[in-house]
Amino acid sequence: ARHLYICDFHKNLIQSVRNRRKRKGSDDDGDSPVQDIDTPEVDLYQLQVNTLRRYKRHFKLQTRPGLNKAQLVEIIGCHFRTIPVNEKDTLTYFIYSVKHDKNKPDLKMDSGVH
């Protein structure tokens, strides 16, 4: 079913990002516990070991051979959290994709990270 509106979940997500930006620009020192709670955490344990190994190989992460899943998740999690994300571009591209019923990226996003 094609739709031209955005669901409540993604609408609230976009609004929370906008609110966080306003808070960051305020006189606060940036150590607000609200910001820590709002940051979504990715559960890398949901991924298969082969997927974790491909991630490690793609980003050329240096590890010792024979790591188990928990060790891979720990190393990849540390790396994953360091990848910079331009929130505005990401949200704009996501909304464009949803509105145009795209399931594969047609646009070249220059992330500058590889």
Side-chain angles (χ1 to χ4, degrees):
R2 192 177 173 115
H3 59 274
L4 297 176
Y5 59 90
I6 188 166
C7 68
D8 288 335
F9 172 79
H10 290 106
K11 178 181 168 187
N12 292 335
L13 179 65
I14 291 168
Q15 288 174 343
S16 72
V17 168
R18 288 180 181 158
N19 289 338
R20 271 190 282 165
R21 276 197 202 125
K22 289 177 186 175
R23 281 196 300 259
K24 286 180 184 177
S26 68
D27 293 337
D28 226 1
D29 61 357
D31 292 331
S32 170
V34 174
Q35 290 176 349
D36 293 336
I37 294 170
D38 276 351
T39 305
E41 187 66 31
V42 177
D43 185 7
L44 296 174
Y45 280 100
Q46 297 293 321
L47 300 175
Q48 297 176 357
V49 174
N50 287 337
T51 305
L52 297 169
R53 288 184 182 137
R54 280 187 308 200
Y55 180 98
K56 182 184 85 151
R57 191 172 36 247
H58 176 78
F59 286 101
K60 299 179 174 93
L61 302 179
Q62 298 297 317
T63 62
R64 62 181 174 79
L67 296 177
N68 63 28
K69 186 174 185 175
Q71 293 165 325
L72 281 171
V73 166
E74 182 179 340
I75 291 167
I76 290 171
C78 290
H79 178 262
F80 186 77
R81 286 186 291 275
T82 65
I83 296 174
V85 176
N86 184 327
E87 292 178 17
K88 183 178 179 183
D89 288 347
T90 303
L91 289 171
T92 302
Y93 182 67
F94 172 77
I95 292 169
Y96 170 85
S97 298
V98 169
K99 284 188 173 183
H100 292 89
D101 198 27
K102 304 286 184 185
N103 57 4
K104 293 183 181 179
D106 290 334
L107 300 175
K108 295 288 183 189
M109 297 291 288
D110 183 25
S111 64
V113 178
H114 286 281

